[in-house]
Amino acid sequence: MTSLWRAVTCSAARSWPCQAQPRSLCTSPLVHVKKIVCAEEDGNLTIEGRIEPSPREGRVVSAHAGMCTCSLCQLNLNIKHTDVLILSQFLRSDGCMMPRRVTGVCRLQQRRVQQLVAMAQKAGLMPNLAPAWSKRDPKLRYGYRKFNKYFDESTIRDVRPFANLEARGGPPSVQ
Amino acid sequence: MSSMQRAKQWATFSRIWHIYDAKWQNPFESAKLIAAYLKGQHKPIYHPLSDCGDHVVVTNCREIALPGPEWYQRVFFHHTGYPKGGATWTLAWELHRKNPTMIMQRAVHRAVGGTLLRKPLMARLHLVADAEVPAELLRHVTSQMTQLRPQPRRLDSYTEQEVRDFPKVFDYPADYVVR
């Protein structure tokens, strides 16, 4: 009886597909460093992938939860729409914004810079970064657009203005 | 009274002329400060019936700044007193185009309050649209009021070297064509 049951289970295991087997789940990060070992014995070459503990175990710096590594988040600056020297770095010579793959900042900071640039352009603070056919002088604009305008940065929906400030213990110093 | 005491008496009770540059300032926020100086509320001897207020000369009224969409959202109401079409609603930018000092004047008129003292206080307010102040006003001016908002600097006001040497937040990728 037992031998018959064993035979049935063996044949069943072979015929069943691989996804029936349970997958191993971990909640902590796994450290898997494989060491490839080649051993030749009596004409038999044995290539073995041995899983060994990592030499860096216990020395890895843990990032704070939610820390962004993009340049603007790391700088922790309260950029205003009047900081044209910073905002102009994100623009081409004709006033168009550079895409995120060029600037390298995170999605939220890119959106924030986009809105700050729009504010600065509406306020007429970067007239030299404009298309060649446009009126460069804000005073030549039509109607209400020729008059001075300022904006409130707090109207931008909270998109990480002071990233990681508490986690890092304050804004970084300029070297 | 000694000569020193007479000098102190004159210094305390004399009427001072202040000058305020309204360039890139919100007229309604500035009006609160200007109204306080017109009434004399900045003085320790203040009393509303003491007539201790000062003169204020406001320059660059043409260069005032309003936040965001306020140029086409703020409306100034006027009624001629006559029926049938006597009421007009004028947008802020239209009013500013016609008379560049009117928004500042309206703002101070409201900030000063609706009392009987309003007329003499408004008479001590002098509005100039541009930076050039007439000599008959400027010869009395002895004090300057500080601006409430910082004046923004335009990008073309910086030299090329200043823009080039300013610290950069990111570097271009290797395959980027600068244009």
Side-chain angles (χ1 to χ4, degrees), chain A residues 71-72 82 84-86 89 92-93 98 103 125 127-129 138-139 143-144 147-150, chain B residues 24 26 63-68 71-72 93 96 149 152-156 167-170 179:
Chain A
S71 50
L72 281 180
T82 50
V84 284
L85 285 169
I86 300 173
Q89 296 172 33
R92 289 199 316 236
S93 59
M98 289 177 202
T103 62
L125 297 176
N128 44 339
L129 296 176
K139 299 288 177 202
Y144 65 89
F147 299 130
N148 292 340
K149 236 184 272 148
Y150 69 90
Chain B
W24 283 102
N26 187 321
E63 309 289 331
I64 51 169
L66 288 177
W71 279 114
Y72 54 87
W93 71 272
H96 198 63
R149 297 186 58 85
R153 267 192 78 176
R154 269 166 53 159
L155 190 60
D156 48 1
K168 301 290 181 277
V169 169
F170 68 95
R179 23 178 192 144

mmCIF file of all heavy atoms in Angstrom, chain A residues 71-72 82 84-86 89 92-93 98 103 125 127-129 138-139 143-144 147-150, chain B residues 24 26 63-68 71-72 93 96 149 152-156 167-170 179:
data_model
loop_
_atom_site.group_PDB
_atom_site.id
_atom_site.type_symbol
_atom_site.label_atom_id
_atom_site.label_comp_id
_atom_site.label_asym_id
_atom_site.label_seq_id
_atom_site.Cartn_x
_atom_site.Cartn_y
_atom_site.Cartn_z
ATOM 1 N N SER A 71 19.166 65.402 -6.689
ATOM 2 C CA SER A 71 20.015 66.530 -6.284
ATOM 3 C C SER A 71 19.228 67.597 -5.523
ATOM 4 O O SER A 71 19.711 68.144 -4.533
ATOM 5 C CB SER A 71 20.685 67.138 -7.505
ATOM 6 O OG SER A 71 19.726 67.383 -8.509
ATOM 7 N N LEU A 72 18.007 67.886 -5.970
ATOM 8 C CA LEU A 72 17.232 68.942 -5.305
ATOM 9 C C LEU A 72 16.760 68.517 -3.931
ATOM 10 O O LEU A 72 16.755 69.315 -2.997
ATOM 11 C CB LEU A 72 16.031 69.328 -6.168
ATOM 12 C CG LEU A 72 16.332 70.257 -7.348
ATOM 13 C CD1 LEU A 72 15.065 70.546 -8.108
ATOM 14 C CD2 LEU A 72 16.973 71.540 -6.881
ATOM 15 N N THR A 82 11.459 83.609 -7.488
ATOM 16 C CA THR A 82 12.375 84.695 -7.815
ATOM 17 C C THR A 82 13.830 84.226 -7.901
ATOM 18 O O THR A 82 14.698 85.025 -8.254
ATOM 19 C CB THR A 82 12.284 85.802 -6.759
ATOM 20 O OG1 THR A 82 12.404 85.199 -5.472
ATOM 21 C CG2 THR A 82 10.958 86.518 -6.843
ATOM 22 N N VAL A 84 15.933 83.053 -9.946
ATOM 23 C CA VAL A 84 16.063 82.801 -11.384
ATOM 24 C C VAL A 84 17.376 82.127 -11.736
ATOM 25 O O VAL A 84 17.472 81.426 -12.739
ATOM 26 C CB VAL A 84 15.901 84.096 -12.203
ATOM 27 C CG1 VAL A 84 14.456 84.487 -12.265
ATOM 28 C CG2 VAL A 84 16.721 85.228 -11.630
ATOM 29 N N LEU A 85 18.427 82.339 -10.908
ATOM 30 C CA LEU A 85 19.714 81.720 -11.211
ATOM 31 C C LEU A 85 19.642 80.202 -11.078
ATOM 32 O O LEU A 85 20.389 79.483 -11.735
ATOM 33 C CB LEU A 85 20.797 82.275 -10.277
ATOM 34 C CG LEU A 85 21.262 83.689 -10.597
ATOM 35 C CD1 LEU A 85 22.115 84.215 -9.462
ATOM 36 C CD2 LEU A 85 22.020 83.752 -11.888
ATOM 37 N N ILE A 86 18.752 79.701 -10.223
ATOM 38 C CA ILE A 86 18.579 78.258 -10.091
ATOM 39 C C ILE A 86 17.597 77.758 -11.141
ATOM 40 O O ILE A 86 17.824 76.755 -11.812
ATOM 41 C CB ILE A 86 18.074 77.897 -8.677
ATOM 42 C CG1 ILE A 86 19.068 78.358 -7.630
ATOM 43 C CG2 ILE A 86 17.820 76.405 -8.561
ATOM 44 C CD1 ILE A 86 18.589 78.191 -6.206
ATOM 45 N N GLN A 89 18.650 77.152 -14.795
ATOM 46 C CA GLN A 89 19.459 75.970 -15.107
ATOM 47 C C GLN A 89 18.609 74.858 -15.716
ATOM 48 O O GLN A 89 19.129 73.956 -16.363
ATOM 49 C CB GLN A 89 20.118 75.435 -13.832
ATOM 50 C CG GLN A 89 21.112 76.394 -13.216
ATOM 51 C CD GLN A 89 21.585 75.906 -11.871
ATOM 52 O OE1 GLN A 89 21.691 74.699 -11.654
ATOM 53 N NE2 GLN A 89 21.878 76.822 -10.976
ATOM 54 N N ARG A 92 16.048 75.623 -21.494
ATOM 55 C CA ARG A 92 16.854 75.801 -22.720
ATOM 56 C C ARG A 92 16.907 77.294 -23.033
ATOM 57 O O ARG A 92 16.266 78.097 -22.366
ATOM 58 C CB ARG A 92 16.170 75.077 -23.888
ATOM 59 C CG ARG A 92 16.224 73.582 -23.839
ATOM 60 C CD ARG A 92 15.960 72.967 -25.213
ATOM 61 N NE ARG A 92 14.864 73.564 -25.921
ATOM 62 C CZ ARG A 92 13.802 72.877 -26.377
ATOM 63 N NH1 ARG A 92 13.708 71.582 -26.136
ATOM 64 N NH2 ARG A 92 12.857 73.477 -27.061
ATOM 65 N N SER A 93 17.616 77.650 -24.108
ATOM 66 C CA SER A 93 17.755 79.071 -24.434
ATOM 67 C C SER A 93 16.438 79.680 -24.915
ATOM 68 O O SER A 93 16.251 80.894 -24.845
ATOM 69 C CB SER A 93 18.811 79.259 -25.519
ATOM 70 O OG SER A 93 18.438 78.524 -26.666
ATOM 71 N N MET A 98 13.732 71.372 -19.554
ATOM 72 C CA MET A 98 14.403 70.121 -19.936
ATOM 73 C C MET A 98 13.644 68.966 -19.325
ATOM 74 O O MET A 98 13.104 69.076 -18.225
ATOM 75 C CB MET A 98 15.826 70.130 -19.395
ATOM 76 C CG MET A 98 16.725 71.093 -20.097
ATOM 77 S SD MET A 98 18.317 71.050 -19.315
ATOM 78 C CE MET A 98 18.959 72.603 -19.796
ATOM 79 N N THR A 103 17.520 66.327 -16.477
ATOM 80 C CA THR A 103 17.787 67.006 -15.211
ATOM 81 C C THR A 103 18.158 66.024 -14.118
ATOM 82 O O THR A 103 18.922 66.367 -13.220
ATOM 83 C CB THR A 103 16.567 67.815 -14.756
ATOM 84 O OG1 THR A 103 15.475 66.930 -14.526
ATOM 85 C CG2 THR A 103 16.156 68.833 -15.796
ATOM 86 N N LEU A 125 10.452 87.475 -15.176
ATOM 87 C CA LEU A 125 11.763 87.562 -14.539
ATOM 88 C C LEU A 125 12.867 86.934 -15.374
ATOM 89 O O LEU A 125 14.039 87.093 -15.068
ATOM 90 C CB LEU A 125 11.718 86.869 -13.161
ATOM 91 C CG LEU A 125 10.776 87.510 -12.155
ATOM 92 C CD1 LEU A 125 10.734 86.700 -10.890
ATOM 93 C CD2 LEU A 125 11.209 88.922 -11.836
ATOM 94 N N PRO A 127 13.271 87.199 -19.102
ATOM 95 C CA PRO A 127 12.862 87.561 -20.471
ATOM 96 C C PRO A 127 13.865 87.134 -21.534
ATOM 97 O O PRO A 127 13.499 86.998 -22.699
ATOM 98 C CB PRO A 127 12.739 89.084 -20.406
ATOM 99 C CG PRO A 127 13.592 89.497 -19.278
ATOM 100 C CD PRO A 127 13.657 88.367 -18.315
ATOM 101 N N ASN A 128 15.153 86.908 -21.148
ATOM 102 C CA ASN A 128 16.137 86.539 -22.152
ATOM 103 C C ASN A 128 16.032 85.071 -22.555
ATOM 104 O O ASN A 128 16.508 84.678 -23.608
ATOM 105 C CB ASN A 128 17.562 86.867 -21.668
ATOM 106 C CG ASN A 128 17.770 86.446 -20.219
ATOM 107 O OD1 ASN A 128 16.816 86.289 -19.485
ATOM 108 N ND2 ASN A 128 19.000 86.278 -19.814
ATOM 109 N N LEU A 129 15.378 84.232 -21.721
ATOM 110 C CA LEU A 129 15.168 82.826 -22.096
ATOM 111 C C LEU A 129 13.787 82.711 -22.702
ATOM 112 O O LEU A 129 12.815 82.327 -22.064
ATOM 113 C CB LEU A 129 15.297 81.925 -20.862
ATOM 114 C CG LEU A 129 16.664 81.886 -20.194
ATOM 115 C CD1 LEU A 129 16.611 81.034 -18.946
ATOM 116 C CD2 LEU A 129 17.712 81.344 -21.131
ATOM 117 N N PRO A 138 8.949 92.471 -20.899
ATOM 118 C CA PRO A 138 7.601 92.264 -20.342
ATOM 119 C C PRO A 138 6.694 93.477 -20.504
ATOM 120 O O PRO A 138 5.468 93.335 -20.525
ATOM 121 C CB PRO A 138 7.854 91.977 -18.855
ATOM 122 C CG PRO A 138 9.287 91.635 -18.752
ATOM 123 C CD PRO A 138 9.993 92.251 -19.887
ATOM 124 N N LYS A 139 7.282 94.680 -20.644
ATOM 125 C CA LYS A 139 6.467 95.896 -20.764
ATOM 126 C C LYS A 139 5.726 95.955 -22.094
ATOM 127 O O LYS A 139 4.804 96.742 -22.257
ATOM 128 C CB LYS A 139 7.355 97.146 -20.639
ATOM 129 C CG LYS A 139 8.082 97.271 -19.333
ATOM 130 C CD LYS A 139 7.160 97.635 -18.191
ATOM 131 C CE LYS A 139 7.901 97.674 -16.883
ATOM 132 N NZ LYS A 139 7.013 97.518 -15.727
ATOM 133 N N GLY A 143 -2.231 94.004 -22.379
ATOM 134 C CA GLY A 143 -3.199 94.072 -21.286
ATOM 135 C C GLY A 143 -2.574 93.962 -19.919
ATOM 136 O O GLY A 143 -1.593 94.627 -19.578
ATOM 137 N N TYR A 144 -3.156 93.074 -19.092
ATOM 138 C CA TYR A 144 -2.710 92.959 -17.709
ATOM 139 C C TYR A 144 -1.351 92.295 -17.605
ATOM 140 O O TYR A 144 -0.690 92.374 -16.566
ATOM 141 C CB TYR A 144 -3.733 92.166 -16.897
ATOM 142 C CG TYR A 144 -3.881 90.726 -17.311
ATOM 143 C CD1 TYR A 144 -3.092 89.742 -16.747
ATOM 144 C CD2 TYR A 144 -4.811 90.364 -18.272
ATOM 145 C CE1 TYR A 144 -3.222 88.427 -17.129
ATOM 146 C CE2 TYR A 144 -4.952 89.046 -18.655
ATOM 147 C CZ TYR A 144 -4.157 88.078 -18.092
ATOM 148 O OH TYR A 144 -4.280 86.781 -18.469
ATOM 149 N N PHE A 147 1.898 94.283 -16.426
ATOM 150 C CA PHE A 147 2.077 94.793 -15.069
ATOM 151 C C PHE A 147 2.770 93.766 -14.189
ATOM 152 O O PHE A 147 2.754 92.575 -14.455
ATOM 153 C CB PHE A 147 0.725 95.185 -14.466
ATOM 154 C CG PHE A 147 0.036 96.275 -15.237
ATOM 155 C CD1 PHE A 147 -1.284 96.134 -15.622
ATOM 156 C CD2 PHE A 147 0.706 97.431 -15.599
ATOM 157 C CE1 PHE A 147 -1.932 97.126 -16.345
ATOM 158 C CE2 PHE A 147 0.074 98.421 -16.323
ATOM 159 C CZ PHE A 147 -1.248 98.273 -16.695
ATOM 160 N N ASN A 148 3.386 94.257 -13.091
ATOM 161 C CA ASN A 148 4.169 93.396 -12.213
ATOM 162 C C ASN A 148 3.272 92.409 -11.476
ATOM 163 O O ASN A 148 2.208 92.761 -10.986
ATOM 164 C CB ASN A 148 4.928 94.249 -11.188
ATOM 165 C CG ASN A 148 6.014 95.077 -11.834
ATOM 166 O OD1 ASN A 148 6.454 94.774 -12.935
ATOM 167 N ND2 ASN A 148 6.456 96.115 -11.153
ATOM 168 N N LYS A 149 3.792 91.186 -11.380
ATOM 169 C CA LYS A 149 3.046 90.125 -10.716
ATOM 170 C C LYS A 149 3.971 89.356 -9.808
ATOM 171 O O LYS A 149 5.135 89.132 -10.149
ATOM 172 C CB LYS A 149 2.534 89.142 -11.792
ATOM 173 C CG LYS A 149 1.057 88.918 -11.809
ATOM 174 C CD LYS A 149 0.716 87.894 -12.818
ATOM 175 C CE LYS A 149 0.520 88.599 -14.143
ATOM 176 N NZ LYS A 149 0.881 87.824 -15.285
ATOM 177 N N TYR A 150 3.495 88.929 -8.644
ATOM 178 C CA TYR A 150 4.283 88.030 -7.814
ATOM 179 C C TYR A 150 3.400 86.863 -7.410
ATOM 180 O O TYR A 150 2.179 86.938 -7.520
ATOM 181 C CB TYR A 150 4.861 88.748 -6.589
ATOM 182 C CG TYR A 150 3.851 89.170 -5.543
ATOM 183 C CD1 TYR A 150 3.503 88.325 -4.508
ATOM 184 C CD2 TYR A 150 3.277 90.445 -5.581
ATOM 185 C CE1 TYR A 150 2.588 88.716 -3.546
ATOM 186 C CE2 TYR A 150 2.362 90.827 -4.626
ATOM 187 C CZ TYR A 150 2.022 89.969 -3.607
ATOM 188 O OH TYR A 150 1.115 90.364 -2.662
ATOM 189 N N TRP B 24 7.322 96.905 -6.964
ATOM 190 C CA TRP B 24 7.168 95.478 -6.641
ATOM 191 C C TRP B 24 6.520 95.247 -5.272
ATOM 192 O O TRP B 24 6.717 94.195 -4.665
ATOM 193 C CB TRP B 24 8.516 94.742 -6.697
ATOM 194 C CG TRP B 24 8.953 94.465 -8.110
ATOM 195 C CD1 TRP B 24 9.883 95.149 -8.835
ATOM 196 C CD2 TRP B 24 8.473 93.427 -8.971
ATOM 197 N NE1 TRP B 24 10.002 94.615 -10.088
ATOM 198 C CE2 TRP B 24 9.148 93.543 -10.201
ATOM 199 C CE3 TRP B 24 7.527 92.403 -8.828
ATOM 200 C CZ2 TRP B 24 8.919 92.695 -11.282
ATOM 201 C CZ3 TRP B 24 7.311 91.540 -9.912
ATOM 202 C CH2 TRP B 24 7.998 91.697 -11.108
ATOM 203 N N ASN B 26 2.953 95.096 -2.842
ATOM 204 C CA ASN B 26 1.504 94.956 -2.910
ATOM 205 C C ASN B 26 0.886 96.239 -2.371
ATOM 206 O O ASN B 26 1.181 96.635 -1.241
ATOM 207 C CB ASN B 26 1.071 93.749 -2.065
ATOM 208 C CG ASN B 26 -0.399 93.439 -2.209
ATOM 209 O OD1 ASN B 26 -1.228 94.340 -2.288
ATOM 210 N ND2 ASN B 26 -0.731 92.171 -2.224
ATOM 211 N N GLU B 63 4.686 100.866 -10.694
ATOM 212 C CA GLU B 63 5.377 99.570 -10.618
ATOM 213 C C GLU B 63 4.855 98.669 -9.503
ATOM 214 O O GLU B 63 5.542 97.739 -9.094
ATOM 215 C CB GLU B 63 6.882 99.804 -10.396
ATOM 216 C CG GLU B 63 7.515 100.771 -11.356
ATOM 217 C CD GLU B 63 7.636 100.211 -12.753
ATOM 218 O OE1 GLU B 63 7.764 98.971 -12.875
ATOM 219 O OE2 GLU B 63 7.593 100.988 -13.717
ATOM 220 N N ILE B 64 3.650 98.913 -9.022
ATOM 221 C CA ILE B 64 3.126 98.051 -7.958
ATOM 222 C C ILE B 64 2.886 96.650 -8.504
ATOM 223 O O ILE B 64 2.704 96.473 -9.706
ATOM 224 C CB ILE B 64 1.806 98.599 -7.363
ATOM 225 C CG1 ILE B 64 0.789 98.908 -8.468
ATOM 226 C CG2 ILE B 64 2.051 99.789 -6.479
ATOM 227 C CD1 ILE B 64 -0.587 99.185 -7.963
ATOM 228 N N ALA B 65 2.891 95.660 -7.598
ATOM 229 C CA ALA B 65 2.712 94.266 -7.994
ATOM 230 C C ALA B 65 1.514 93.680 -7.271
ATOM 231 O O ALA B 65 1.343 93.885 -6.071
ATOM 232 C CB ALA B 65 3.966 93.451 -7.652
ATOM 233 N N LEU B 66 0.698 92.954 -8.014
ATOM 234 C CA LEU B 66 -0.421 92.246 -7.409
ATOM 235 C C LEU B 66 -0.190 90.748 -7.536
ATOM 236 O O LEU B 66 0.452 90.299 -8.483
ATOM 237 C CB LEU B 66 -1.739 92.622 -8.123
ATOM 238 C CG LEU B 66 -2.274 94.023 -7.854
ATOM 239 C CD1 LEU B 66 -3.523 94.270 -8.666
ATOM 240 C CD2 LEU B 66 -2.566 94.212 -6.385
ATOM 241 N N PRO B 67 -0.691 89.946 -6.568
ATOM 242 C CA PRO B 67 -0.430 88.507 -6.644
ATOM 243 C C PRO B 67 -1.263 87.834 -7.720
ATOM 244 O O PRO B 67 -2.443 88.121 -7.866
ATOM 245 C CB PRO B 67 -0.841 88.009 -5.251
ATOM 246 C CG PRO B 67 -1.744 89.028 -4.717
ATOM 247 C CD PRO B 67 -1.404 90.329 -5.359
ATOM 248 N N GLY B 68 -0.613 86.921 -8.456
ATOM 249 C CA GLY B 68 -1.257 86.006 -9.389
ATOM 250 C C GLY B 68 -2.286 86.637 -10.295
ATOM 251 O O GLY B 68 -2.008 87.543 -11.085
ATOM 252 N N TRP B 71 -4.798 90.979 -11.045
ATOM 253 C CA TRP B 71 -4.909 92.092 -12.006
ATOM 254 C C TRP B 71 -6.213 92.024 -12.790
ATOM 255 O O TRP B 71 -6.776 93.063 -13.143
ATOM 256 C CB TRP B 71 -3.737 92.080 -12.985
ATOM 257 C CG TRP B 71 -2.484 92.689 -12.426
ATOM 258 C CD1 TRP B 71 -1.317 92.053 -12.162
ATOM 259 C CD2 TRP B 71 -2.272 94.060 -12.083
ATOM 260 N NE1 TRP B 71 -0.394 92.937 -11.662
ATOM 261 C CE2 TRP B 71 -0.947 94.174 -11.602
ATOM 262 C CE3 TRP B 71 -3.072 95.210 -12.120
ATOM 263 C CZ2 TRP B 71 -0.399 95.382 -11.167
ATOM 264 C CZ3 TRP B 71 -2.522 96.404 -11.695
ATOM 265 C CH2 TRP B 71 -1.190 96.476 -11.225
ATOM 266 N N TYR B 72 -6.676 90.804 -13.077
ATOM 267 C CA TYR B 72 -7.929 90.717 -13.828
ATOM 268 C C TYR B 72 -9.075 90.181 -12.977
ATOM 269 O O TYR B 72 -10.161 89.923 -13.495
ATOM 270 C CB TYR B 72 -7.766 89.850 -15.089
ATOM 271 C CG TYR B 72 -7.208 88.469 -14.861
ATOM 272 C CD1 TYR B 72 -8.035 87.406 -14.536
ATOM 273 C CD2 TYR B 72 -5.844 88.221 -14.997
ATOM 274 C CE1 TYR B 72 -7.520 86.140 -14.330
ATOM 275 C CE2 TYR B 72 -5.319 86.965 -14.794
ATOM 276 C CZ TYR B 72 -6.162 85.928 -14.462
ATOM 277 O OH TYR B 72 -5.628 84.677 -14.267
ATOM 278 N N TRP B 93 -6.404 96.098 -13.822
ATOM 279 C CA TRP B 93 -5.421 96.455 -14.853
ATOM 280 C C TRP B 93 -5.924 97.582 -15.750
ATOM 281 O O TRP B 93 -5.147 98.414 -16.219
ATOM 282 C CB TRP B 93 -5.021 95.228 -15.666
ATOM 283 C CG TRP B 93 -6.045 94.667 -16.589
ATOM 284 C CD1 TRP B 93 -6.993 93.747 -16.300
ATOM 285 C CD2 TRP B 93 -6.209 94.986 -17.975
ATOM 286 N NE1 TRP B 93 -7.741 93.478 -17.416
ATOM 287 C CE2 TRP B 93 -7.287 94.203 -18.448
ATOM 288 C CE3 TRP B 93 -5.552 95.853 -18.868
ATOM 289 C CZ2 TRP B 93 -7.729 94.273 -19.769
ATOM 290 C CZ3 TRP B 93 -5.989 95.904 -20.184
ATOM 291 C CH2 TRP B 93 -7.080 95.120 -20.620
ATOM 292 N N HIS B 96 -5.442 100.748 -13.751
ATOM 293 C CA HIS B 96 -4.021 101.084 -13.627
ATOM 294 C C HIS B 96 -3.500 101.674 -14.935
ATOM 295 O O HIS B 96 -2.653 102.565 -14.927
ATOM 296 C CB HIS B 96 -3.236 99.820 -13.264
ATOM 297 C CG HIS B 96 -1.884 100.086 -12.707
ATOM 298 N ND1 HIS B 96 -1.663 100.761 -11.531
ATOM 299 C CD2 HIS B 96 -0.655 99.774 -13.173
ATOM 300 C CE1 HIS B 96 -0.374 100.845 -11.296
ATOM 301 N NE2 HIS B 96 0.264 100.254 -12.284
ATOM 302 N N ARG B 149 8.111 93.905 0.746
ATOM 303 C CA ARG B 149 8.493 92.718 -0.027
ATOM 304 C C ARG B 149 9.851 92.949 -0.668
ATOM 305 O O ARG B 149 10.156 94.069 -1.066
ATOM 306 C CB ARG B 149 7.459 92.457 -1.130
ATOM 307 C CG ARG B 149 6.080 92.153 -0.631
ATOM 308 C CD ARG B 149 5.206 91.779 -1.814
ATOM 309 N NE ARG B 149 5.760 90.645 -2.520
ATOM 310 C CZ ARG B 149 5.547 89.397 -2.200
ATOM 311 N NH1 ARG B 149 4.794 89.086 -1.177
ATOM 312 N NH2 ARG B 149 6.103 88.425 -2.890
ATOM 313 N N PRO B 152 12.384 91.468 -6.724
ATOM 314 C CA PRO B 152 13.052 90.369 -7.440
ATOM 315 C C PRO B 152 14.020 90.906 -8.476
ATOM 316 O O PRO B 152 13.815 91.987 -9.026
ATOM 317 C CB PRO B 152 11.884 89.634 -8.119
ATOM 318 C CG PRO B 152 10.836 90.657 -8.277
ATOM 319 C CD PRO B 152 10.999 91.653 -7.177
ATOM 320 N N ARG B 153 15.060 90.151 -8.756
ATOM 321 C CA ARG B 153 16.049 90.542 -9.768
ATOM 322 C C ARG B 153 15.801 89.750 -11.028
ATOM 323 O O ARG B 153 15.607 88.542 -10.981
ATOM 324 C CB ARG B 153 17.463 90.260 -9.254
ATOM 325 C CG ARG B 153 18.099 91.440 -8.572
ATOM 326 C CD ARG B 153 19.555 91.237 -8.329
ATOM 327 N NE ARG B 153 20.341 91.444 -9.540
ATOM 328 C CZ ARG B 153 21.666 91.397 -9.589
ATOM 329 N NH1 ARG B 153 22.335 91.106 -8.500
ATOM 330 N NH2 ARG B 153 22.321 91.597 -10.702
ATOM 331 N N ARG B 154 15.808 90.440 -12.148
ATOM 332 C CA ARG B 154 15.626 89.765 -13.425
ATOM 333 C C ARG B 154 16.902 89.065 -13.828
ATOM 334 O O ARG B 154 17.993 89.453 -13.436
ATOM 335 C CB ARG B 154 15.247 90.778 -14.504
ATOM 336 C CG ARG B 154 13.757 90.970 -14.640
ATOM 337 C CD ARG B 154 13.392 92.162 -15.442
ATOM 338 N NE ARG B 154 14.013 92.245 -16.745
ATOM 339 C CZ ARG B 154 13.508 92.988 -17.728
ATOM 340 N NH1 ARG B 154 12.393 93.634 -17.525
ATOM 341 N NH2 ARG B 154 14.123 93.082 -18.884
ATOM 342 N N LEU B 155 16.739 88.024 -14.645
ATOM 343 C CA LEU B 155 17.902 87.232 -15.054
ATOM 344 C C LEU B 155 18.865 88.055 -15.900
ATOM 345 O O LEU B 155 20.087 87.885 -15.809
ATOM 346 C CB LEU B 155 17.428 86.002 -15.851
ATOM 347 C CG LEU B 155 18.480 84.941 -16.152
ATOM 348 C CD1 LEU B 155 19.062 84.371 -14.873
ATOM 349 C CD2 LEU B 155 17.879 83.825 -16.978
ATOM 350 N N ASP B 156 18.332 88.998 -16.721
ATOM 351 C CA ASP B 156 19.233 89.789 -17.564
ATOM 352 C C ASP B 156 19.935 90.900 -16.786
ATOM 353 O O ASP B 156 20.799 91.575 -17.334
ATOM 354 C CB ASP B 156 18.489 90.355 -18.782
ATOM 355 C CG ASP B 156 17.181 91.014 -18.414
ATOM 356 O OD1 ASP B 156 16.861 91.040 -17.203
ATOM 357 O OD2 ASP B 156 16.477 91.493 -19.305
ATOM 358 N N PRO B 167 26.630 78.236 -8.592
ATOM 359 C CA PRO B 167 26.656 76.776 -8.451
ATOM 360 C C PRO B 167 25.488 76.105 -9.166
ATOM 361 O O PRO B 167 24.354 76.569 -9.100
ATOM 362 C CB PRO B 167 26.552 76.546 -6.942
ATOM 363 C CG PRO B 167 26.462 77.842 -6.312
ATOM 364 C CD PRO B 167 26.653 78.918 -7.296
ATOM 365 N N LYS B 168 25.793 75.027 -9.862
ATOM 366 C CA LYS B 168 24.810 74.326 -10.672
ATOM 367 C C LYS B 168 24.271 73.117 -9.919
ATOM 368 O O LYS B 168 24.986 72.414 -9.237
ATOM 369 C CB LYS B 168 25.421 73.877 -12.021
ATOM 370 C CG LYS B 168 25.965 75.037 -12.842
ATOM 371 C CD LYS B 168 24.864 75.917 -13.381
ATOM 372 C CE LYS B 168 25.363 77.064 -14.214
ATOM 373 N NZ LYS B 168 25.789 78.216 -13.421
ATOM 374 N N VAL B 169 22.976 72.880 -10.101
ATOM 375 C CA VAL B 169 22.307 71.828 -9.351
ATOM 376 C C VAL B 169 22.552 70.457 -9.974
ATOM 377 O O VAL B 169 22.617 69.455 -9.275
ATOM 378 C CB VAL B 169 20.788 72.148 -9.296
ATOM 379 C CG1 VAL B 169 20.000 70.977 -8.784
ATOM 380 C CG2 VAL B 169 20.544 73.362 -8.446
ATOM 381 N N PHE B 170 22.686 70.413 -11.293
ATOM 382 C CA PHE B 170 22.928 69.128 -11.953
ATOM 383 C C PHE B 170 23.822 69.357 -13.157
ATOM 384 O O PHE B 170 23.952 70.481 -13.655
ATOM 385 C CB PHE B 170 21.600 68.481 -12.398
ATOM 386 C CG PHE B 170 20.896 69.228 -13.501
ATOM 387 C CD1 PHE B 170 21.081 68.868 -14.830
ATOM 388 C CD2 PHE B 170 20.059 70.294 -13.223
ATOM 389 C CE1 PHE B 170 20.442 69.566 -15.849
ATOM 390 C CE2 PHE B 170 19.420 70.993 -14.229
ATOM 391 C CZ PHE B 170 19.615 70.629 -15.551
ATOM 392 N N ARG B 179 21.329 73.529 -26.195
ATOM 393 C CA ARG B 179 20.836 74.543 -27.124
ATOM 394 C C ARG B 179 20.121 75.657 -26.371
ATOM 395 O O ARG B 179 19.548 75.473 -25.362
ATOM 396 C CB ARG B 179 19.883 73.987 -28.186
ATOM 397 C CG ARG B 179 19.166 72.732 -27.916
ATOM 398 C CD ARG B 179 18.256 72.399 -29.081
ATOM 399 N NE ARG B 179 17.366 71.331 -28.693
ATOM 400 C CZ ARG B 179 16.088 71.241 -29.107
ATOM 401 N NH1 ARG B 179 15.594 72.145 -29.899
ATOM 402 N NH2 ARG B 179 15.322 70.244 -28.735
#
